[in-house]
């Protein structure tokens, strides 16, 4: 993994649990990445996304408000089809739902099921971007 371990990513995190959001943000910041936007819901994600244009998004599936993480990812990927997305969720059926959804064919994404090791998150982020 050599050089990709040193790559500094601009990461958008969408996670509804504030403690988990802080944990991800602190861990990834300490690893040298820029956390450019964090959100507890996905209601207005495109306005932040278009303004910031992060390298990758880390998205929880179940979010409060009117939209799920999956819906937010579809909106992002509709506008930016080559954009990488990492889903982290405690909702195990999401992996199958995404794999069976023709929209995600040829998309750059990964699904991690909670509980997940923080190191595994960074490894998946780097793999998706590279």
């Amino acid at each position: 993994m050599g050089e990709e371990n040193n790559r500094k990513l601009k990461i958008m995190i969408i996670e509804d649990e504030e403690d988990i959001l802080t944990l991800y943000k602190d861990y990834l910041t300490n690893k040298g990445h820029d956390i450019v936007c964090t959100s507890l819901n996905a209601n207005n994600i495109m306005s932040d996304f278009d303004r910031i244009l992060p390298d990758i998004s880390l998205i929880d599936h179940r979010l409060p408000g009117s939209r799920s993480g999956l819906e937010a990812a579809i909106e992002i990927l509709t506008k930016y089809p080559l954009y990488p997305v990492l889903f982290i969720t405690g909702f195990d059926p999401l992996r199958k739902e995404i794999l069976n959804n023709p929209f995600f064919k040829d998309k750059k994404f990964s699904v991690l099921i909670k509980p997940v090791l923080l190191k595994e998150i960074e490894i998946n982020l780097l793999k998706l971007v590279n």
Side-chain angles (χ1 to χ4, degrees), residues 1-8 33 122-123 126-127 130:
M1 285 175 102
E3 189 176 305
E4 74 184 43
N5 280 336
N6 297 326
R7 175 140 187 223
K8 184 178 188 177
H33 303 292
E122 184 185 28
I123 288 168
L126 290 167
K127 280 182 183 177
N130 295 305

Side-chain angles (χ1 to χ4, degrees), residues 3-4 25 36 43 49 69 73 78 82 89 95 102 104 106-107 114-115 117 125:
E3 189 176 305
E4 74 184 43
K25 182 178 179 181
V36 293
N43 291 343
F49 189 93
T78 297
L82 300 177
T89 183
R95 184 187 325 261
F104 286 95
D106 301 325
K107 300 292 191 266
K114 294 176 187 175
L117 299 174
L125 290 169

Side-chain angles (χ1 to χ4, degrees), residues 72-120:
I74 288 172
E75 184 176 3
I76 291 168
L77 292 169
T78 297
K79 188 168 183 178
Y80 302 97
L82 300 177
Y83 184 74
V85 173
L86 175 61
F87 292 100
I88 300 181
T89 183
F91 185 64
D92 190 42
L94 177 65
R95 184 187 325 261
K96 187 174 182 180
E97 183 179 338
I98 289 173
L99 292 174
N100 291 331
N101 186 332
F103 177 84
F104 286 95
K105 185 179 181 190
D106 301 325
K107 300 292 191 266
K108 290 171 42 174
F109 71 91
S110 185
V111 180
L112 297 177
I113 305 300
K114 294 176 187 175
V116 63
L117 299 174
L118 293 172
K119 181 178 181 178
E120 192 176 353

Side-chain angles (χ1 to χ4, degrees), residues 10-12 34-38 51-54:
K10 198 166 38 165
I11 304 168
M12 173 182 273
D34 286 333
I35 308 305
V36 293
C37 181
T38 58
R51 181 176 45 84
I52 296 166
L53 294 175

